[in-house]
Amino acid sequence: MTQRAELATVMDRLAVDELITAYAVAVDDGDWTAYRGLFTADGRADYRSAGGIEGGAGQVAGWLAESLTLFAMRQHLIVNRRLRFDVLEHDTGDTASVRADYLNPMRVAADGGPTAPDLVCGGRYAFALLRTSQGWRLSEVVVEEKWRRLRAESAPAS
């Protein structure tokens, strides 16, 4: 591999990493316009394993906007990212796939203040990406929730 090809691969890896991070930030911040903008025009997401829906990015963004109002705080951590570049139409590097684990603690919105219960879940994402004229975009996101826990915090010590 030439230095030019190696540099291009590094730049693509950084761009893909930025896209995955932008996905987590958009969900955590409830920025559904940004969320939709991360996908290709025909991009899809599948949250069925976590009790959600599967559909186009716009439809799923609407469902997320409604269902995540239950949570006053979300902090999505996407880790252990494994990236592969794939071939499309006899060229290299047009598509990519990322398998990554996630940990997602969320604070339930309640009038009880800091004693409100937390929901914590974890699992794995499968991201499919496509290089477009606007840069890398998500063509598919599949969530594989592996576990979840709902717990109430302990009362503060007196």
Side-chain angles (χ1 to χ4, degrees):
M1 187 179 279
T2 67
Q3 279 188 323
R4 186 178 304 256
E6 289 173 358
L7 178 59
T9 299
V10 168
M11 297 301 291
D12 281 337
R13 291 184 76 82
L14 290 170
V16 167
D17 189 65
E18 176 61 27
L19 181 64
I20 302 303
T21 299
Y23 168 87
V25 170
V27 172
D28 291 346
D29 291 351
D31 187 344
W32 308 118
T33 301
Y35 177 92
R36 286 187 287 278
L38 299 172
F39 285 82
T40 60
D42 60 348
R44 301 188 66 75
D46 183 349
Y47 289 83
R48 290 177 293 181
S49 76
I53 66 168
E54 185 273 334
Q59 177 188 11
V60 171
W63 172 78
L64 286 168
E66 184 177 324
S67 62
L68 291 179
T69 59
L70 299 172
F71 303 100
M73 183 281 303
R74 299 181 293 274
Q75 187 179 22
H76 223 123
L77 306 171
I78 302 178
V79 300
N80 300 334
R81 301 173 192 202
R82 289 175 288 160
L83 168 61
R84 287 206 171 111
F85 291 105
D86 301 313
V87 176
L88 177 68
E89 297 178 11
H90 311 291
D91 195 2
T92 58
D94 290 334
T95 64
S97 58
V98 176
R99 301 277 298 172
D101 296 326
Y102 71 87
L103 176 66
N104 189 7
M106 296 182 281
R107 168 79 57 193
V108 175
D111 292 334
T115 61
D118 286 334
L119 172 66
V120 182
C121 58
R124 181 161 291 155
Y125 278 113
F127 295 99
L129 300 94
L130 180 66
R131 185 194 308 273
T132 72
S133 59
Q134 294 84 35
W136 287 98
R137 295 292 182 266
L138 298 167
S139 57
E140 183 179 52
V141 175
V142 177
V143 175
E144 179 191 348
E145 185 175 275
K146 294 184 176 187
W147 61 271
R148 71 171 51 188
R149 179 180 71 219
L150 179 65
R151 69 174 171 84
E153 287 186 358
S154 319
S158 357

